[in-house]
Amino acid sequence: MEKMVERKIVYLIELVLIILGLLCIAVVIKNNKEDALKRGNQILSRRESEKKDLHRDSHQTAARLKSLEESKKCL
């Protein structure tokens, strides 16, 4: 009878440990997913800012070329 009680206690302890392990896995997966989403958003925002920078730079270059052409006409 005592062995049956010990086996049930061991079984319950194993079951609790398995459940805790599964919960830990779920938390790790959730954290990894959130981190991946954050990194993805950072990459997207970086690309958008790079596009804006390129657009601004192209306008600045065009303005410089125009001013150079105008200054050449004056000479």
Side-chain angles (χ1 to χ4, degrees):
M1 192 72 176
E2 216 174 279
K3 285 185 180 181
M4 289 283 286
V5 172
E6 285 179 14
R7 284 184 185 171
K8 286 184 180 181
I9 291 173
V10 169
Y11 175 73
L12 287 174
I13 291 172
E14 288 176 349
L15 190 62
V16 167
L17 290 175
I18 289 171
I19 291 171
L20 285 174
L22 292 174
L23 287 172
C24 289
I25 290 171
V27 168
V28 167
I29 289 172
K30 182 182 175 192
N31 287 341
N32 285 342
K33 185 177 179 182
E34 290 173 354
D35 289 344
L37 287 173
K38 286 179 186 175
R39 276 181 270 146
N41 287 338
Q42 287 175 347
I43 290 170
L44 287 176
S45 66
R46 196 176 311 129
R47 285 183 183 168
E48 288 176 3
S49 66
E50 287 174 355
K51 284 181 183 178
K52 288 178 184 177
D53 290 345
L54 285 173
H55 186 70
R56 185 191 67 231
D57 290 345
S58 66
H59 281 291
Q60 288 176 349
T61 304
R64 284 187 202 130
L65 287 174
K66 188 175 180 181
S67 67
L68 281 173
E69 289 174 1
E70 289 174 357
S71 65
K72 284 182 183 179
K73 287 180 185 177
C74 292
L75 294 175

